[in-house]
Amino acid sequence: MSVANSSPPLEILVREPEGFVIWNGPPFSSNQPSIKLDRVPCTSAKFSEDGSKLMVIKSESSISIYDSKTSKEIRSFESPNILAASLSPCGTYLQTFQKLSSPQEKNVTLWKTETGESVYTTSQKNMTKATWPSIRFSSDETVASRMATNEIQFFDAGDFSKGMVHKIRIPGIAAAELSKQPGSHVAVFVPESKGTPSSVQIYACSQASQSEPISRRTFFRCSTVQQHWNHGSTGLLVVVQSDVDKTNQSYYGESKLYYLTLDGTHNGLVPLRKEGPVHDVQWSYSGKEFAVVYGFMPAMVTIFDKKCNPLMELGTGPYNTIRWNPKGKFICVAGYGNLPGDMAFWDYVEKKQLGATKAEWSVTSEWSPDGLYFMTATTAPRRQIDNGIKIFHYNGSLCFKKKFEKLYQIDWKADSPHKFGEIEELVKSITSLKVDNKTQGSKPVKPISTNPPVLKKPSAYQPPHAKVAAAKQAQLFGESPSPSTEMSKNALKNKKKREKQREKKAAEAGSGVDGA
């Protein structure tokens, strides 16, 4: 059985104003995707983290859950004034946030998708990125936690009827990030208060553990943080952002990158080689390396190991985004937003660049679950014109492009990378596909030269009269003029024009003498 046949099919969710459709993913026959699920009207749609379920918000009072494998609706939930909804990683639970009608109302509900019953309710005044979803799960749904006032609460993820089973008291907590694989630890952020510096603290989730943090780091001039756990839950990257840059070099404030490990081998700054902001950071799927885009433009890209030692430099350029493919072999470094959309594709295993291209005005970008394709999209409302998607091969060559009048969302259906074959075999399975970039209206991938261009030292300035004198002197002594004294194209054109005019006059004069 071939690799292509043994691997699960790729699928793409495409949402327009009229609703969403599900495409069968690449490779496309005749360069056109086929439809797996025809248009379904909705206001929002989202796959669960493992890709097994699809949540479709059809209105403020109706949510449907679909089985991703069959594309059939398996459950419908009716509840008034729904402002937001979220699926648990394995699709076991649906969580809804409703508009409050009274201060005492419990407006957050956790539903069991299999039975449709409500298993837990609580109250929440506001919905922010830090507080929604209210209940967070580890990727395997063995751990469930909730951030409350001055504490983290833990539940039995298999039986919410028990309510809160234990808690950790953390005065002033403002944000929490539960580790995903496994859900063994939680990182919390406590902002600065009354002269006490802000801090990030790591706690073990188990009830038997001590309530003291395993690791702790304090920060001065810290407004917000971004916390990134690795796979394996052994290390945490923290991007610390300050609203004000005291060096006055950045309008957007100042950012620094810290690295905290559970074993205590590192608890401090990541040694970045260039001054400036931290634009993006991402762990590899293995959790053994992480990549950082940082510094004033042109930004620098560096890959570090788990001990914070630099492993590889991916050069500098107009970059602010990094995407590491699920198989860990390929990396895309790009510059989106207010940058021109440059993309460089690298083979991390072979330590070489594969290609470079552009995807202007991109709003979102992500690798396919098998790690072979890279998709970018320009979507509304971020950008109201030039909406569309582009799908590239792992080396940056364009294999599909489509424009939309209005495109709201585009997502790969999530799937475990382990379900696909080895990346080398997958690459061989698509190398036979020939892509004619010209017929698809795309620019070909720029070839990467193994010999970097040699920069010539600029010659000293010479005024025009000195250049003319030098050229005459070289002509007198039979020398060829130096590169700095070579004529420009216009000058050479004018010279040839004058010579032709002289030849013409001489010919006319000669014919006049003959006829006399």
Side-chain angles (χ1 to χ4, degrees):
M1 184 180 289
S2 68
V3 175
N5 293 332
S6 62
S7 297
L10 298 175
E11 295 176 19
I12 301 173
L13 184 149
V14 183
R15 184 165 66 90
E16 299 174 79
E18 300 80 16
F20 79 92
V21 297
I22 301 290
W23 289 351
N24 289 306
F28 302 131
S29 59
S30 304
N31 197 38
Q32 288 298 321
S34 59
I35 304 296
K36 179 184 179 183
L37 177 63
D38 215 341
R39 194 169 306 281
V40 177
C42 71
T43 60
S44 180
K46 188 72 176 176
F47 286 109
S48 59
E49 189 179 304
D50 68 350
S52 63
K53 304 288 193 303
L54 175 63
M55 176 189 70
V56 181
I57 302 178
K58 295 186 175 180
S59 69
E60 288 186 354
S61 59
S62 177
I63 298 177
S64 293
I65 306 298
Y66 285 72
D67 181 278
S68 295
K69 191 173 183 179
T70 62
S71 295
K72 300 293 184 183
E73 183 177 332
I74 57 176
R75 183 69 56 190
S76 180
F77 295 86
E78 303 292 331
S79 189
N81 302 318
I82 297 174
L83 299 181
S86 176
L87 270 180
S88 60
C90 300
T92 308
Y93 298 101
L94 169 69
Q95 194 171 170
T96 58
F97 180 93
Q98 294 168 275
K99 185 178 180 180
L100 276 171
S101 57
S102 66
Q104 293 78 26
E105 182 186 9
K106 292 186 175 182
N107 62 326
V108 174
T109 306
L110 193 68
W111 313 81
K112 195 80 176 284
T113 56
E114 185 180 346
T115 61
E117 65 175 322
S118 168
V119 296
Y120 182 78
T121 58
T122 186
S123 297
Q124 185 172 320
K125 289 183 179 180
N126 302 312
M127 181 183 63
T128 65
K129 193 174 181 180
T131 60
W132 182 256
S134 180
I135 298 172
R136 309 286 178 97
F137 292 85
S138 59
S139 291
D140 58 4
E141 293 188 3
T142 57
V143 178
S145 67
R146 174 177 176 263
M147 183 181 71
T149 304
N150 297 326
E151 64 186 28
I152 290 281
Q153 301 172 350
F154 293 91
F155 303 86
D156 183 333
D159 186 2
F160 277 86
S161 65
K162 295 178 181 178
M164 180 183 64
V165 293
H166 74 99
K167 64 182 179 181
I168 302 174
R169 180 168 172 76
I170 309 164
I173 181 174
E177 190 67 32
L178 181 66
S179 63
K180 299 292 185 182
Q181 296 179 346
S184 54
H185 294 80
V186 61
V188 302
F189 170 61
V190 179
E192 183 179 352
S193 177
K194 299 178 181 179
T196 304
S198 56
S199 65
V200 165
Q201 305 165 36
I202 298 177
Y203 293 85
C205 294
S206 64
Q207 188 172 0
S209 64
Q210 297 293 326
S211 60
E212 293 299 315
I214 295 172
S215 182
R216 175 189 174 97
R217 184 75 194 187
T218 57
F219 314 103
F220 293 93
R221 299 201 314 273
C222 172
S223 306
T224 58
V225 297
Q226 300 171 32
Q227 302 178 113
H228 304 271
W229 281 104
N230 70 335
H231 289 79
S233 305
T234 58
L236 177 76
L237 291 168
V238 184
V239 180
V240 176
Q241 181 75 34
S242 171
D243 292 337
V244 179
D245 181 6
K246 289 201 169 183
T247 63
N248 293 321
Q249 290 182 292
S250 174
Y251 174 80
Y252 300 101
E254 183 182 21
S255 59
K256 294 184 180 298
L257 181 63
Y258 289 82
Y259 179 42
L260 286 71
T261 58
L262 298 184
D263 59 8
T265 56
H266 204 284
N267 188 334
L269 281 167
V270 175
L272 303 179
R273 294 177 49 212
K274 189 173 186 180
E275 291 293 325
V278 177
H279 303 288
D280 198 10
V281 59
Q282 188 181 20
W283 284 98
S284 68
Y285 186 79
S286 68
K288 296 178 180 179
E289 313 94 352
F290 62 90
V292 191
V293 185
Y294 61 97
F296 295 112
M297 293 296 163
M300 183 173 281
V301 186
T302 306
I303 296 175
F304 296 87
D305 65 12
K306 282 201 305 182
K307 295 182 179 178
C308 231
N309 300 314
L311 296 175
M312 183 179 175
E313 298 283 356
L314 302 188
T316 59
Y319 304 134
N320 60 8
T321 304
I322 189 155
R323 295 287 184 267
W324 206 319
N325 89 331
K327 291 289 188 177
K329 181 175 173 64
F330 303 123
I331 298 172
C332 178
V333 185
Y336 303 133
N338 58 353
L339 296 176
D342 291 78
M343 300 194 302
F345 290 83
W346 288 78
D347 186 323
Y348 173 66
V349 177
E350 299 295 331
K351 312 296 183 190
K352 65 180 182 180
Q353 189 174 346
L354 301 174
T357 185
K358 275 193 176 186
E360 298 89 346
W361 317 118
S362 296
V363 174
T364 63
S365 62
E366 194 53 74
W367 287 97
S368 57
D370 65 354
L372 282 183
Y373 300 94
F374 189 77
M375 180 167 63
T376 66
T378 304
T379 57
R382 177 76 174 270
R383 187 170 174 82
Q384 299 290 350
I385 60 172
D386 299 326
N387 283 192
I389 72 167
K390 292 180 180 179
I391 300 178
F392 301 85
H393 284 122
Y394 63 91
N395 60 0
S397 62
L398 187 68
C399 64
F400 179 75
K401 179 180 180 180
K402 183 175 176 63
K403 291 185 178 181
F404 292 81
E405 185 68 29
K406 193 74 68 179
L407 178 64
Y408 286 136
Q409 178 187 353
I410 187 129
D411 289 319
W412 295 104
K413 189 197 82 170
D415 222 330
S416 170
H418 300 301
K419 293 183 180 179
F420 301 88
E422 293 299 321
I423 190 67
E424 290 79 11
E425 294 299 318
L426 292 170
V427 167
K428 288 179 183 178
S429 71
I430 66 166
T431 50
S432 59
L433 298 175
K434 295 182 180 179
V435 180
D436 185 355
N437 286 319
K438 292 181 181 179
T439 60
Q440 298 179 36
S442 66
K443 297 176 183 177
V445 179
K446 296 177 184 176
I448 302 303
S449 173
T450 53
N451 300 317
V454 179
L455 299 177
K456 295 181 180 178
K457 186 177 179 181
S459 56
Y461 172 76
Q462 280 186 305
H465 67 273
K467 289 182 180 180
V468 174
K472 287 182 177 178
Q473 186 176 6
Q475 199 171 8
L476 279 172
F477 290 98
E479 299 172 355
S480 59
S482 64
S484 61
T485 61
E486 288 180 1
M487 288 187 175
S488 67
K489 289 183 178 180
N490 286 335
L492 191 61
K493 185 178 178 181
N494 290 334
K495 181 184 176 184
K496 289 181 178 179
K497 191 176 180 180
R498 287 194 297 270
E499 288 176 351
K500 285 183 179 180
Q501 286 175 347
R502 283 197 293 268
E503 290 173 1
K504 186 178 179 182
K505 286 180 181 180
E508 288 175 353
S511 62
V513 170
D514 293 338

